[in-house]
Amino acid sequence: MPLIVIVDDRLTNRNIFAKLAAAIEEGIEVKTFGDPAEALVWLQDNTPHLVITDFKMPQMDGAEFIRRFRAQSQSVDIPVVVITVYEERSFRLRALEAGATDFLNSPVDHHEFVTRARNLLNLRKHQLMLADRADSLERRLEHSERSRERAMRDSFERLTQVIDTLPVMISAASSDGRLLFVNAGATSYFCVTQSQVIGQPVETMLGEQSGARSVALDRMVFQTGKPLPSYEEEIQDSAGSSRVFLTVKSPLRSANGDITAVLTSSLDITARKKTEANLRYMAQHDALTHLPNRSLLHERMRRLATRSRRSQSGFALHLVDLDGFKSVNDLHGHSAGDRFLRSVAERLRSEMRDSDTIARLGGDEFAILQADADSESAVPFARRLIQVISECAEGGGAPITASIGIALHPTDGQDAEDLLKNADMAMYRAKGEGGNSYCFYVSEMQARARDSAQLDKEMRRALANREFVLFYQPQVDLASGQIIGAEALVRWDRPGFGIVGPNVFLPHAEESGLMIPLNEWVLNEACREAKRWETIGLPDLRIGVNMSPLQFRKRTVPLLVAQALGASGLSPSRLDLELTENIILQDIDSVAADLRQMIDLGVHVSIDDFGTGYSSLNYIKRFPVDRIKIDRSFVRNITTDANDLAIVRAVITLGHSLGIKVVAEGVETTDQLTRMRAEGCDEVQGYYFGKPMPADEYVTLVRNQNREARRA
């Protein structure tokens, strides 16, 4: 049963490495030690197949541990892997001089750990197999001279056959540097025959450079009588192609214990090295842009921080988020969005110095490390990034800009997590100020972050405590002048503040994930209230409910609508779902399918804020829309701005040509009302008829209108 010993002063690492080691193959026994001295005592009486040790330990570093371990007679040829965070050559030389076999960089890649350990175990198994066969051969030779000769011949032939079948290059060389034996793996790789190389200098087969190195190492084995720890080397074949081998050199002894030759075995690990390199690359790079990912960015930031502390210099972290990128996916599809991200990545990469790092964190978010930078040099750098991204978007139809948050090391954070967190806050400040700009982190942003967290807590409590209420704004038919419905608008009766408008909490609800449960509550409450109007004798009134784009992304809107109608008993014909253009454009096919399901229920659909998106008017033909609502921005100046009037007139004409009613929002004056009536608008909504009001006030308004209508 293979035995692996793990030495590390940190319990977490020991547990992780133990689990990884146990998973290499079935039947693995793992022994762990936190104290290297304790491990050395245990190893005096026990022989493992593989030892894995940390380099940096308080009681005794890895090099000293390996040196003492190698001093034990039974441990000279046992593979030892060193785990180290140090990349300097001096640390690796210390470990090699002490007898280290291989290295793993910390933090340890799990795939690399398992792969390296498995290969070293296999190599050790080959060593032990050869040693066992050699011992068996020696025992047979001791029986009798004749028997020894016969057993030697038989065993040698069998051993030769076994050795020739191994996927390893094996050779034996004398003390004067001549080849005594080569297996089929070696002759095949170097395209030679045994007769050509047996008795010849090692250089005959390996070449001048590799041969000289091999002879020098053989000399060390003859002098010390100890095997060399395994090492990696590149070996060229006869055609000049190089492959990577894991090589082990061990002494071969005669019956009286004299060293007669040095046995060299080399395992081809080229494929393993390529796999390891690919795994490292995939683990550290973004699949779409091939830029470094968050993991590699953290590593680069740690290195840069260490270098900056030594040189007393700083660096800047630029966190870049694209403004308006969603419109690329909405208008042109995700493939176009991916192409745009690759284009941005390539352009940004071309702007970097060798000392800088650009990474993609995910979605449309990038991070850039500007080495040797301060607040003064970070400004033109950020401006250039904004310009480059804007140039990438030219000709694409939708305007794409960038919001950049800048955090400086060491003033804004000592480690990667703090710098990223602070740069993120600065980025959101830049985005909140309209985007297409940069913003430096300032300490006051922490307070705003805490305020946001507090708002989130209060809103979640508000949902549980039913602190949200609905206000209703009348919708009027222009032909009759009668109130025909209302738009339900959410408000927050916030303790200590009174009634709070949606501008305070809806943006946070969108960002925090609270919009979905809030939207569901609004839908159910509006349907319940509209049903109450029916039971108290009001005329058939339509209730308009705004739907969030987030709700449609979950593909649950038809079910929620059906449940709300069923629970309230409201007729589907009295429910009007108001959708923005952005909802329709986020996934045309899926939204169209959802809308058809709701139309089948009898629900009406209106397009809110019509004309403010990036869309073409052609999509109207694809959807079963009952109404389009002209945004208030076009209504506001309709009596003074010819362009706004032209837009309103065009929308009304379009709607009527398609059999769709047109509703004007934001009607506040008599002149606006007169103009809308003159242009043939069907319905209006705005302060002229009433601001959003509580349900009881809306009921009173409708009743008063009914009484006036009866008197007339």
Side-chain angles (χ1 to χ4, degrees):
M1 180 184 295
L3 172 63
I4 298 178
V5 172
I6 296 172
V7 184
D8 197 307
D9 62 300
R10 289 167 290 186
L11 178 61
T12 301
N13 288 351
R14 294 200 303 272
N15 292 338
I16 293 172
F17 298 155
K19 289 181 180 180
L20 292 173
I24 294 173
E25 63 182 51
E26 188 174 354
I28 290 278
E29 182 182 355
V30 182
K31 183 74 174 178
T32 64
F33 296 91
D35 185 349
E38 182 184 342
L40 288 170
V41 173
W42 188 86
L43 288 167
Q44 289 178 352
D45 301 317
N46 298 274
T47 304
H49 290 73
L50 175 65
V51 176
I52 300 171
T53 178
D54 188 21
F55 189 95
K56 185 179 180 182
M57 294 183 288
Q59 303 97 330
M60 181 190 308
D61 68 17
E64 182 61 23
F65 168 77
I66 297 170
R67 190 174 291 108
R68 295 187 186 184
F69 174 63
R70 291 299 189 202
Q72 300 177 5
S73 59
Q74 78 279 11
S75 66
V76 292
D77 56 354
I78 296 172
V80 179
V81 179
V82 179
I83 298 174
T84 177
V85 71
Y86 303 113
E87 296 186 359
E88 285 82 358
R89 185 168 179 267
S90 60
F91 291 99
R92 293 180 177 264
L93 286 176
R94 282 187 60 203
L96 286 173
E97 289 170 354
T101 305
D102 204 353
F103 295 89
L104 282 170
N105 290 327
S106 181
V108 174
D109 183 279
H110 293 183
H111 293 288
E112 184 178 3
F113 181 101
V114 172
T115 303
R116 287 181 182 268
R118 181 183 292 114
N119 282 323
L120 289 172
L121 281 178
N122 288 337
L123 187 63
R124 181 61 179 155
K125 289 176 182 178
H126 289 312
Q127 291 176 325
L128 293 174
M129 182 188 71
L130 291 174
D132 183 67
R133 291 183 179 273
D135 290 342
S136 176
L137 181 60
E138 289 179 0
R139 287 194 299 270
R140 294 188 182 195
L141 288 173
E142 291 174 358
H143 186 262
S144 70
E145 188 66 30
R146 186 178 301 172
S147 297
R148 284 199 300 270
E149 291 178 359
R150 185 171 61 251
M152 183 180 294
R153 286 194 302 271
D154 294 343
S155 297
F156 183 78
E157 289 176 358
R158 287 194 295 269
L159 182 60
T160 300
Q161 291 174 1
V162 171
I163 292 175
D164 281 342
T165 61
L166 292 175
V168 182
M169 292 197 304
I170 300 176
S171 63
S174 63
S175 58
D176 61 354
R178 295 183 178 274
L179 289 168
L180 302 176
F181 169 80
V182 291
N183 77 333
T187 58
S188 175
Y189 184 74
F190 293 105
C191 295
V192 296
T193 64
Q194 289 193 348
S195 61
Q196 289 175 324
V197 296
I198 296 297
Q200 299 298 315
V202 172
E203 292 87 345
T204 305
M205 184 174 72
L206 297 183
E208 270 313 309
Q209 186 175 354
S210 296
R213 182 174 65 249
S214 181
V215 170
L217 294 174
D218 287 349
R219 194 174 297 118
M220 291 177 60
V221 176
F222 276 109
Q223 292 172 352
T224 64
K226 298 179 180 179
L228 291 181
S230 59
Y231 58 93
E232 294 181 7
E233 61 175 345
E234 284 192 11
I235 301 178
Q236 285 189 344
D237 63 13
S238 58
S241 300
S242 294
R243 298 185 69 81
V244 182
F245 290 83
L246 187 65
T247 299
V248 176
K249 289 182 176 289
S250 304
L252 288 178
R253 299 180 184 274
S254 64
N256 59 10
D258 296 331
I259 301 175
T260 59
V262 172
L263 182 70
T264 302
S265 58
S266 299
L267 177 67
D268 190 346
I269 59 172
T270 307
R272 190 201 81 185
K273 298 295 289 185
K274 289 182 178 178
T275 300
E276 291 174 356
N278 289 335
L279 288 172
R280 282 195 300 271
Y281 186 88
M282 289 187 293
Q284 296 181 330
H285 289 80
D286 171 57
L288 176 66
T289 63
H290 300 293
L291 294 175
N293 60 12
R294 188 181 294 271
S295 174
L296 186 53
L297 176 70
H298 277 240
E299 181 181 330
R300 297 274 179 87
M301 289 176 73
R302 286 192 293 270
R303 292 181 185 176
L304 197 54
T306 301
R307 195 191 77 180
S308 296
R309 284 192 291 270
R310 290 198 299 263
S311 62
Q312 297 297 305
S313 62
F315 65 88
L317 171 64
H318 300 254
L319 195 63
V320 182
D321 189 88
L322 303 185
D323 307 319
F325 173 72
K326 184 178 178 297
S327 63
V328 178
N329 288 332
D330 290 343
L331 291 171
H332 306 293
H334 290 281
S335 295
D338 289 347
R339 288 193 298 271
F340 181 77
L341 290 174
R342 285 193 292 266
S343 173
V344 169
E346 190 59 36
R347 285 293 307 279
L348 290 177
R349 186 167 19 214
S350 68
E351 298 292 325
M352 300 298 109
R353 302 168 299 174
D354 291 341
S355 57
D356 301 329
T357 295
I358 174 174
R360 183 185 179 218
L361 304 185
D364 58 351
E365 194 172 52
F366 298 85
I368 298 169
L369 291 178
Q370 182 188 6
D372 302 317
D374 53 21
S375 58
E376 185 175 345
S377 60
V379 170
F381 189 85
R383 288 173 175 168
R384 179 57 183 160
L385 295 178
I386 292 172
Q387 180 183 349
V388 167
I389 292 171
S390 179
E391 291 171 354
C392 288
E394 290 179 356
I400 306 296
T401 58
S403 296
I404 300 178
I406 307 171
L408 300 175
H409 179 277
T411 56
D412 298 336
Q414 296 288 332
D415 56 36
E417 289 296 336
D418 284 343
L419 286 170
L420 279 168
K421 179 187 65 176
N422 293 338
D424 188 66
M425 283 190 282
M427 182 272 292
Y428 274 105
R429 165 65 71 85
K431 189 174 286 291
E433 293 176 352
N436 196 29
S437 64
Y438 61 88
C439 181
F440 283 91
Y441 167 78
V442 291
S443 57
E444 290 79 2
M445 293 178 181
Q446 290 281 6
R448 282 192 289 272
R450 288 192 295 270
D451 291 343
S452 178
Q454 179 63 27
L455 180 60
D456 185 87
K457 181 180 179 181
E458 290 186 27
M459 287 185 63
R460 295 182 186 278
R461 184 207 63 210
L463 271 172
N465 296 343
R466 300 184 65 83
E467 294 174 8
F468 290 103
V469 295
L470 290 185
F471 277 34
Y472 302 88
Q473 187 171 34
Q475 296 173 329
V476 177
D477 179 76
L478 270 181
S480 66
Q482 297 296 304
I483 297 174
I484 57 175
E487 180 179 359
L489 300 165
V490 66
R491 300 291 187 266
W492 181 10
D493 190 3
R494 189 178 183 184
F497 293 87
I499 299 298
V500 177
N503 59 306
V504 174
F505 59 89
L506 282 186
H508 182 79
E510 290 277 3
E511 295 175 2
S512 64
L514 287 171
M515 180 58 76
I516 290 177
L518 180 59
N519 212 165
E520 292 178 10
W521 177 85
V522 169
L523 177 63
N524 282 278
E525 181 65 16
C527 289
R528 187 195 63 78
E529 181 62 28
K531 180 62 178 179
R532 187 179 75 86
W533 298 342
E534 178 184 322
T535 59
I536 63 177
L538 294 186
D540 290 346
L541 295 171
R542 187 176 71 235
I543 186 69
V545 178
N546 294 282
M547 302 301 295
S548 167
L550 296 175
Q551 208 75 59
F552 274 85
R553 290 174 197 160
K554 290 176 64 72
R555 301 298 311 277
T556 58
V557 174
L559 177 61
L560 292 174
V561 170
Q563 290 174 341
L565 292 172
S568 64
L570 182 69
S571 169
S573 63
R574 295 180 57 192
L575 177 62
D576 185 28
L577 298 180
E578 298 191 8
L579 286 62
T580 63
E581 292 182 61
N582 289 335
I583 293 178
I584 291 176
L585 292 174
Q586 66 184 5
D587 188 341
I588 292 178
D589 292 334
S590 64
V591 172
D594 287 347
L595 289 181
R596 280 192 289 270
Q597 291 186 54
M598 289 183 290
I599 294 298
D600 291 340
L601 289 174
V603 175
H604 295 282
V605 176
S606 297
I607 305 299
D608 199 11
D609 301 334
F610 188 81
T612 59
Y614 296 118
S615 66
S616 166
L617 299 178
N618 290 330
Y619 74 83
I620 289 292
K621 298 186 295 183
R622 295 190 56 184
F623 296 94
V625 175
D626 297 286
R627 294 172 183 81
I628 51 180
K629 302 183 73 173
I630 304 174
D631 188 72
R632 67 185 69 247
S633 61
F634 302 118
V635 176
R636 185 181 302 113
N637 300 318
I638 190 174
T639 59
T640 58
D641 191 314
N643 291 329
D644 285 348
L645 176 59
I647 292 172
V648 169
R649 186 174 291 159
V651 173
I652 294 173
T653 301
L654 172 69
H656 290 171
S657 66
L658 297 174
I660 300 173
K661 288 188 176 182
V662 180
V663 184
E665 295 183 298
V667 175
E668 299 179 357
T669 68
T670 302
D671 290 343
Q672 292 170 347
L673 179 64
T674 301
R675 174 53 65 182
M676 284 301 172
R677 185 177 282 114
E679 296 299 329
C681 189
D682 300 292
E683 301 170 9
V684 292
Q685 175 181 342
Y687 285 5
Y688 183 87
F689 299 98
K691 296 181 179 181
M693 60 192 72
D696 291 343
E697 291 184 20
Y698 177 77
V699 169
T700 300
L701 180 66
V702 174
R703 282 175 169 169
N704 290 338
Q705 185 191 67
N706 288 344
R707 282 194 292 268
E708 291 174 5
R710 285 194 294 271
R711 292 193 193 104

